[in-house]
Amino acid sequence: MKRVAVLGGGPAGAFAAERLASAGLDTVVIDEKLAWEKPCGGGITCKAYKRYPFLLENDLPKRFVTATTLAASGAGAARLALRDPLVIYSRLDLNRMLLERAERAGARIEKTRVLEVTPNSRCWHVRTAGGTIDADFCIVATGARNPLRNVGTEWTSADTMLALGYYVEAQQDHIDIQFLPHLEGYIWIFPRCGHLSVGICGKSEPAAALRQRLERFMAERGISRKDGRFYSHLLPSLDSGSWQANRVAGDGWMAVGDSAGLVDPLTGEGLYYAIRSADLAAHALLAEVGDLAAKLAHYRALLRHDFAADLEFGAHLAKRFFVGRILCGAVTERMVEFTRRSPRFSLIMQDLFAGRQPYASLKRRLLRNLNGSLYDLAMSLGFARVVPGRSPHWLL
Ligand SMILES: Cc1cc2nc3c(=O)[nH]c(=O)nc-3n(C[C@H](O)[C@H](O)[C@H](O)COP(=O)(O)OP(=O)(O)OC[C@H]3O[C@@H](n4cnc5c(N)ncnc54)[C@H](O)[C@@H]3O)c2cc1C
């Protein structure tokens, strides 16, 4: 293999290019915008910066957020302290840093739009707005709006959420997450460097209806839209049935990040999975595991083992989480109440939001903590009292 074309220079593409160029491959990154302020919170979890310390140890302007407030209509709010802060970047800065790292590793960067990719006997013709580039292999990293029909995830309407909102000139130190009745999604207020991002994401609901919900929320909270800048984008959120057949690799290409649908279906975290999948794709491509078909199979297996199987499990939970009912109320309402009343349950929620709690073992952990959480709940409601030296003493 002589030349790899990386289509798209967001976090996934830039990081794949860095890895491949460092290993000595002739790597070209093609992006129509290069570094830009993609609509995104820019929040990096501790899971991401602990595995990739350069995501924390750098000179970029950043914000550290150590608290989140979860709220659901009818259940009030619960404050969640984050043991490890969420680090928030401007996407312009983050993308630029990642592209510079790729360039320093030896990748060539081209600013142009990819119009079409066509396989041709033993190589790819990448037709761009500026000409044609031939490559032996393609890394597809064109994001959730991937316009290339023959490579990357084949989306159905059940596989994405619409995300839209406003950047507003205001400040607060914590994140707000608001769950709404019958919405498979949520509203957020996200503190960023110099402004707030106030937005909503949702599945199976038209953009106009989501925007109405958001604007009503903003009016109730007294958040002015007057000088706000509107944004909208797609957030991959693969349906539970879409994971098994998800098109992450094919003859002569591998897809990474959003263009492979690799986003947490509950929290919307995508930056970690963009960078991690890029790392795994480079690893598989460079591995000495036989022919190209073996490398593609290796990539699929690495992804599945590393995180995709867990995200698939999360997709099974997502619908039940957002719009399901439990104990005569919405799951989200009960979750907020439990988080507020039970320190043990709150700890589980913290780990879930930090990306530290795999979905596959969530049920086991919840069941293991059930007694403790119910005891906390009973204590907070005054139905139990502590008798020193004895197990919890129930009044009911
Ligand atoms: C509103 C919103 C908030 C979010 N907040 C968070 C958050 O706080 N934390 C988090 O972890 N994740 C968040 N995400 C998800 C995160 O933004 C994505 O998962 C992440 O950007 C994926 O990176 P990527 O490189 O795969 O794709 P992208 O960042 O979308 O990069 C794709 C690149 O491809 C380029 N491109 C596309 N088509 C072409 C073409 N034809 N020719 C040339 N170039 C092309 C684009 O210019 C772009 O630079 C959020 C998403 C949304 C929509």
Side-chain angles (χ1 to χ4, degrees):
M1 188 174 303
K2 294 193 191 75
R3 176 181 289 166
V4 179
V6 179
L7 317 176
F15 197 62
E18 178 188 335
R19 286 291 203 240
L20 295 172
S22 303
L25 286 187
D26 176 5
T27 308
V28 55
V29 181
I30 310 164
D31 193 297
E32 60 184 332
K33 297 183 187 142
L34 295 183
W36 65 295
E37 193 60 55
K38 188 217 160 202
C40 177
I44 302 271
T45 57
C46 65
K47 178 174 65 181
Y49 60 72
K50 282 188 177 164
R51 189 180 279 270
Y52 299 105
F54 73 88
L55 290 172
L56 184 63
E57 295 156 11
N58 56 61
D59 297 333
L60 299 184
K62 48 178 92 62
R63 282 200 68 152
F64 293 93
V65 175
T66 54
T68 298
T69 299
L70 302 175
S73 331
R79 199 167 168 90
L80 204 61
L82 305 175
R83 266 181 293 162
D84 295 296
L86 189 77
V87 182
I88 297 184
Y89 291 103
S90 123
R91 280 297 302 267
L92 178 72
D93 290 341
L94 184 66
N95 284 24
R96 187 183 292 133
M97 174 179 77
L98 288 161
L99 283 166
E100 281 172 2
R101 286 173 62 96
E103 201 166 22
R104 272 201 305 276
R108 192 153 51 88
I109 314 281
E110 295 230 353
K111 185 177 182 187
T112 184
R113 181 170 174 78
V114 177
L115 302 173
E116 194 181 25
V117 283
T118 38
N120 189 348
S121 60
R122 290 179 49 227
C123 77
W124 286 91
H125 287 319
V126 180
R127 193 164 66 83
T128 71
T132 302
I133 296 171
D134 286 341
D136 303 293
F137 196 85
C138 285
I139 296 285
V140 181
T142 34
R145 286 186 174 148
N146 174 23
L148 310 169
R149 293 282 156 243
N150 49 343
V151 288
T153 294
E154 293 170 285
W155 308 105
T156 69
S157 59
D159 294 326
T160 54
M161 284 190 175
L162 273 177
L164 54 89
Y166 294 89
Y167 296 122
V168 298
E169 299 298 318
Q171 284 300 333
Q172 69 176 41
D173 60 357
H174 65 280
I175 293 171
D176 276 307
I177 303 284
Q178 173 76 46
F179 300 102
L180 299 178
H182 317 297
L183 176 67
E184 205 175 333
Y186 54 89
I187 285 179
W188 62 82
I189 305 179
F190 221 74
R192 306 193 71 230
C193 299
H195 61 269
L196 293 180
S197 164
V198 187
I200 186 168
C201 62
K203 218 180 223 189
S204 324
E205 200 166 302
L210 286 174
R211 195 165 175 170
Q212 232 173 31
R213 283 192 195 250
L214 177 68
E215 292 178 355
R216 202 175 312 128
F217 169 85
M218 290 174 78
E220 282 164 15
R221 288 287 190 103
I223 304 172
S224 166
R225 290 182 277 118
K226 199 169 138 272
D227 298 314
R229 207 154 37 87
F230 183 74
Y231 63 79
S232 74
H233 210 279
L234 285 180
L235 188 59
S237 172
L238 290 195
D239 193 54
S240 53
S242 302
W243 282 94
Q244 285 292 327
N246 188 19
R247 204 172 57 169
V248 294
D251 203 6
W253 61 270
M254 292 173 187
V256 291
D258 277 16
S259 63
L262 302 174
V263 171
D264 186 312
L266 272 159
T267 62
E269 178 179 13
L271 288 167
Y272 171 73
Y273 300 109
I275 288 171
R276 185 73 189 138
S277 59
D279 201 358
L280 297 177
H283 184 84
L285 202 55
L286 298 166
E288 293 183 4
V289 291
D291 63 3
L292 205 52
K295 290 176 193 290
L296 301 179
H298 191 41
Y299 177 51
R300 288 193 195 95
L302 284 176
L303 269 186
R304 190 142 192 86
H305 177 75
D306 201 88
F307 65 80
D310 200 56
L311 294 190
E312 180 179 345
F313 205 87
H316 281 284
L317 300 180
K319 202 177 189 88
R320 264 181 278 169
F321 176 81
F322 287 123
V323 292
R325 292 183 68 77
I326 189 171
L327 301 172
C328 308
V331 170
T332 47
E333 288 173 11
R334 294 292 168 260
M335 182 199 65
V336 169
E337 283 162 356
F338 271 53
T339 304
R340 189 168 57 234
R341 293 180 184 281
S342 165
R344 279 165 258 231
F345 189 83
S346 171
L347 220 64
I348 299 175
M349 285 300 115
Q350 259 189 48
D351 287 346
L352 203 63
F353 278 85
R356 271 192 302 252
Q357 171 59 54
Y359 291 117
S361 54
L362 177 62
K363 190 170 162 192
R364 208 175 332 124
R365 185 168 171 202
L366 283 169
L367 286 174
R368 217 178 40 234
N369 280 272
L370 185 66
N371 270 342
S373 298
L374 285 177
Y375 173 66
D376 291 342
L377 211 63
M379 285 289 288
S380 74
L381 293 168
F383 291 149
R385 61 192 162 92
V386 178
V387 180
R390 289 180 54 190
S391 55
H393 193 78
W394 296 83
L395 296 183
L396 278 182

